[in-house]
Every structure is written in structure tokens, then in C-alpha cells.
Amino acid sequence: MSSFNFDVITLFPKAFELINNLGVITRALDKNLIDLNLHDLREYGEGSYRQVDDKPYGGGAGMVLKPEPIYKAYESIKKSPKSKTLLMTPQGKVLKQKDLARWSTLNQIIIICGQYEGFDERIRRLADEEISIGDYVLSGGEIPAISIINGLTRLLPGTLGDPDSLVDESHNASLLEYPQYTRPLTFKDMKVPDILVSGNHEEIKSWRKRKSIERTLERRSDLISNENYKKSPQSKRIIKEYNQFMKFRIGNEYDIYPDW
């Protein structure tokens, strides 16, 4: 199996040294499951000072990344037939787990990291998708890029020792993961729920489903109440489980009525 290639255009390649100490991701590098190729934007800068930014036309605060260095860096990258280019920007679509799953079927992701006050609008032409990791602004695209590399690598075959550990993770089925416990049985007067040590696997499975729905309703009801989700194939299954869960809650005198 060939490696999955990450090609990152960045002004701060040293920011990615963190990946060498990220456990699962580092092992994926060691096992040649992924290749991380960093393209230092400064090397493609103009003139003796390797200029990569300039003042914006029309005035304004800060500096704007110039198009020429980024285009040169981009054109130097060997493209795979199954490749996508992502532009890290706060104006982009907020990253979702389903995006990582979709990209995991490729064999190359090219990531362009923005910097400073922004970038020349013509740089957008290079991107297949513009991505944000949240409704806030960072100093650059390196942390979002690392988030994508981390999240996507975990989905690649051979990366995790136990592939089944991906199945019940939060956001994989538009639900948050159920509560998890390990030893000791009692810690600071907090006890592991009796059901988890009962040995009854069917009841444990039912408890986990119920807790997963409960946690999603209480913390992220938007995951299962938005119109796009209601039209999705898994919606009917979740709604059925939701209805069963609500019967359970009403029967136990809970008073929670989420906005659907």
C-alpha cells in the first residue's frame, strides 16, 4: 500500500515538529503509512529578502500574502490523480468528521496555510475547498493543518492498533460518544455505573446507546436537529432511538424536551 501524502505550504515549517510527538501520527510516519512534505513558503519568496507579503491595495492594517510565492510553491508539488487542495482560512467551511472520512479515500492532500492579515484573493483559485476549524481567528493556518493531518491519519488503515475503536467515537454517527470508565471502580466517591460491571453485554450496549443520545441532546442537539441531518440515511435510525430514549426519560420523570 502506498503512503498517503500530505503536502503543506507554510511560512512556519517548524510548527509541524509537533507531529513527531503525537503518538499515533508519529507511528504512521514511522510505518510509512503517511508522508509529510513541508514546502517552506520563504524559499519561494521574491528578491534578496525572500518577500512573501505586501501592503494591501486600497489600504488597511497589516500585510497580505502575495500570490506569486504560493503559486510557485504549489506548482512545485507533484500532484496525484486522487488529490485535493485545501486552503486554511477562517472564511472556510467548518471542518466536520465526515470531511475527514471523505478525504481518507484520496491519496494526497495539499494544504495551503494562510498568515498575517490575510492573503491575495487570487490564491483562492488554487483551492478545491476552503476550510476553517471554528468560528475564531488564529495567527496562521498551521494549527488547523495539523488538526486535519491528525484527524485524517487516524482513519487510514493500519494506523490504529484496534480499528474498532473508531466505530463509537464522537461525531462518527452524528452522536457524541457515551461515557467511558476504567479502574479503579471507585475514585473520590465517584463509582463506575453498576451496569458496566454487570457482565450483561446486551444491557451495556443499550445503556451506551441511551447515554450517547442523552449526551448529544444535552451538549450538541444541533448535530441531530439540523435540516441536512434530518434528510440523511442515518436520521431514521437515530430518530427511532431518540423516541425510545425519550420514552425511557419520561418513564423516569426526566423533564427534557429538546428543540427539533
Side-chain angles (χ1 to χ4, degrees):
M1 183 181 68
S2 58
S3 299
F4 191 106
N5 291 310
F6 292 99
D7 286 272
V8 184
I9 299 173
T10 172
L11 196 54
F12 298 102
K14 287 189 176 181
F16 293 85
E17 292 177 358
L18 170 66
I19 289 177
N20 293 323
N21 296 290
L22 282 181
V24 168
I25 313 305
T26 305
R27 288 198 296 275
L29 283 166
D30 293 340
K31 293 164 67 175
N32 295 319
L33 297 175
I34 64 171
D35 279 327
L36 176 59
N37 308 300
L38 302 175
H39 305 271
D40 188 345
L41 187 58
R42 187 68 67 183
E43 294 181 3
Y44 299 90
E46 298 183 313
S48 57
Y49 291 101
R50 300 286 186 181
Q51 184 179 3
V52 297
D53 60 348
D54 210 334
K55 295 178 180 179
Y57 279 117
M63 305 286 277
V64 173
L65 285 178
K66 294 168 59 64
E68 304 97 323
I70 289 182
Y71 269 77
K72 287 178 184 176
Y74 184 79
E75 289 163 359
S76 74
I77 298 171
K78 184 178 180 180
K79 315 296 190 303
S80 163
K82 294 179 66 177
S83 173
K84 276 193 178 295
T85 299
L86 310 179
L87 177 61
M88 302 294 97
T89 165
Q91 296 183 24
K93 178 183 69 174
V94 176
L95 178 68
K96 302 292 185 182
Q97 184 68 22
K98 64 183 180 181
D99 296 317
L100 299 174
R102 179 164 52 87
W103 298 331
S104 70
T105 63
L106 305 172
N107 50 35
Q108 182 185 36
I109 288 288
I110 301 170
I111 302 176
I112 302 173
C113 298
Q115 284 294 331
Y116 301 129
E117 293 297 326
F119 46 79
D120 188 288
E121 185 70 14
R122 291 164 288 191
I123 291 169
R124 296 186 191 276
R125 281 279 191 93
L126 297 175
D128 296 304
E129 300 181 48
E130 297 185 19
I131 300 296
S132 166
I133 60 169
D135 295 330
Y136 49 87
V137 179
L138 302 174
S139 59
E142 283 71 24
I143 291 175
I146 291 172
S147 298
I148 287 175
I149 294 168
N150 189 317
L152 200 159
T153 297
R154 297 179 70 257
L155 302 180
L156 300 178
T159 300
L160 296 181
D162 181 7
D164 290 339
S165 63
L166 290 171
V167 175
D168 293 325
E169 287 188 325
S170 293
H171 303 291
N172 275 350
S174 295
L175 291 175
L176 301 183
E177 189 176 4
Y178 48 79
Q180 297 271 30
Y181 296 87
T182 187
R183 293 181 176 85
L185 187 64
T186 302
F187 176 72
K188 292 186 180 292
D189 296 326
M190 294 179 285
K191 191 174 182 297
V192 175
D194 291 338
I195 184 65
L196 296 181
V197 294
S198 69
N200 189 322
H201 296 294
E202 285 302 314
E203 287 192 10
I204 291 172
K205 184 177 179 181
S206 177
W207 180 89
R208 284 175 168 170
K209 278 188 177 181
R210 195 165 65 244
K211 288 296 181 181
S212 181
I213 295 171
E214 177 182 4
R215 180 159 287 187
T216 305
L217 290 173
E218 291 177 349
R219 301 185 181 191
R220 291 294 306 278
S221 62
D222 59 293
L223 292 175
I224 55 179
S225 63
N226 67 74
E227 289 303 317
N228 288 336
Y229 176 74
K230 289 179 181 178
K231 297 175 184 177
S232 67
Q234 66 264 43
S235 176
K236 290 182 180 179
R237 176 178 62 81
I238 298 301
I239 290 173
K240 181 180 178 181
E241 292 176 353
Y242 161 79
N243 289 333
Q244 292 173 343
F245 169 68
M246 288 307 294
K247 288 179 182 177
F248 170 84
R249 299 203 78 166
I250 293 169
N252 286 274
E253 298 181 353
Y254 286 96
D255 185 21
I256 290 181
Y257 300 93
D259 182 17
W260 271 64

